[in-house]
Amino acid sequence: MKKSIKLSALLATLLLTGNAFAANEGYTVAAGSPVVKNAYGECWRLPTTYDKARDGLVECGDREAAKPAPAPAPAPAPAPVVVAPKPQTVIKTVSLSAEGLFGFNSAQIVAGTQQLEALVSSLKADKLLKSVAVEGHTDYLGSEKFNQALSEKRANAVKDYFVAAGVPADKVTAVGKGEAEAKLTAECTAKKFKKRADLIACLAGDRRFDVTVETAKEVQQ
């Protein structure tokens, strides 16, 4: 009886062993079942020469589970698009009095250059400066020919002052308008001054020079 039991156990072991090599070499398996484990949850290993670290079962602790492929590195953020500021043309006109700068009926600068100095400083500091146009104007007193010539001489005197102070000569122009744009003629003659000096004083606003500056400012788009 005991021999029969031992024989049956031996046959069962051989069957299991055969299945092990057929299903998973190196482990004891039952037909159609996972690897056989003992009461401690350990796999029943069989003597073998094959590399369990390479070919063994993960569940038996003989081989590491395949590690998931690393996530692809995030694509680099696109470089910010830098839009260069776009220059926008700016035109401004400054009207300066000839009084205190020129003597009466004279085109020679004698004093009062503070107003010119301030303008020169801004022109020299302007990196986007395009042009400077000087216009000379007179009142209506005197002949039209004389006033035209006087306005031209005064405009050129201011131009020469700018260039001598460091404003690029190729950017400065000068023109005389004479009495063509006198604005106070009607107002002052209507007052019928008895003294010529009072009339001259009233017309002071017409004895001027206008400086038109064309430049640019950078505007971010």
Side-chain angles (χ1 to χ4, degrees):
M1 181 68 175
K2 290 182 180 180
K3 289 183 178 180
S4 298
I5 293 173
K6 290 181 179 181
L7 182 57
S8 299
L10 179 60
L11 290 173
T13 300
L14 290 174
L15 286 173
L16 290 172
T17 302
N19 287 332
F21 280 95
N24 205 321
E25 183 181 359
Y27 300 94
T28 301
V29 297
S33 301
V35 176
V36 176
K37 297 181 181 181
N38 62 21
Y40 298 101
E42 299 171 337
C43 296
W44 284 11
R45 297 174 175 84
L46 297 173
T48 182
T49 57
Y50 86 114
D51 189 350
K52 290 185 178 181
R54 184 189 64 192
D55 303 318
L57 297 177
V58 173
E59 61 183 283
C60 295
D62 293 324
R63 180 170 58 86
E64 292 185 3
K67 296 181 179 179
V81 178
V82 179
V83 180
K86 183 178 180 180
Q88 185 178 69
T89 300
V90 177
I91 298 177
K92 56 184 177 181
T93 299
V94 179
S95 186
L96 303 176
S97 175
E99 299 298 296
L101 185 65
F102 299 100
F104 187 69
N105 285 345
S106 171
Q108 183 179 356
I109 296 176
V110 292
T113 57
Q114 293 85 351
Q115 56 182 339
L116 294 181
E117 287 293 341
L119 190 52
V120 164
S121 296
S122 65
L123 294 175
K124 291 171 64 176
D126 190 349
K127 296 180 180 179
L128 299 177
L129 180 66
K130 295 182 177 180
S131 65
V132 182
V134 182
E135 292 182 355
H137 299 273
T138 68
D139 57 33
Y140 80 96
L141 299 177
S143 70
E144 183 177 342
K145 182 178 179 180
F146 176 84
N147 288 336
Q148 179 62 36
L150 179 62
S151 66
E152 290 176 2
K153 292 178 182 179
R154 285 182 171 179
N156 279 296
V158 173
K159 172 187 174 181
D160 293 343
Y161 186 94
F162 287 163
V163 173
V167 180
D170 60 338
K171 295 184 178 181
V172 188
T173 60
V175 63
K177 294 296 185 76
E179 61 186 74
E181 296 183 13
K183 302 175 181 179
L184 300 174
T185 302
E187 177 184 337
C188 292
T189 55
K191 294 182 179 180
K192 298 181 179 180
F193 294 106
K194 293 181 179 181
K195 296 181 179 180
R196 182 176 173 81
D198 293 335
L199 177 60
I200 292 174
C202 180
L203 295 170
D206 284 341
R207 297 187 295 275
R208 70 188 191 279
F209 55 97
D210 297 333
V211 181
T212 300
V213 178
E214 182 179 357
T215 182
K217 65 178 180 179
E218 294 181 342
V219 179
Q220 190 70 43
Q221 301 298 303

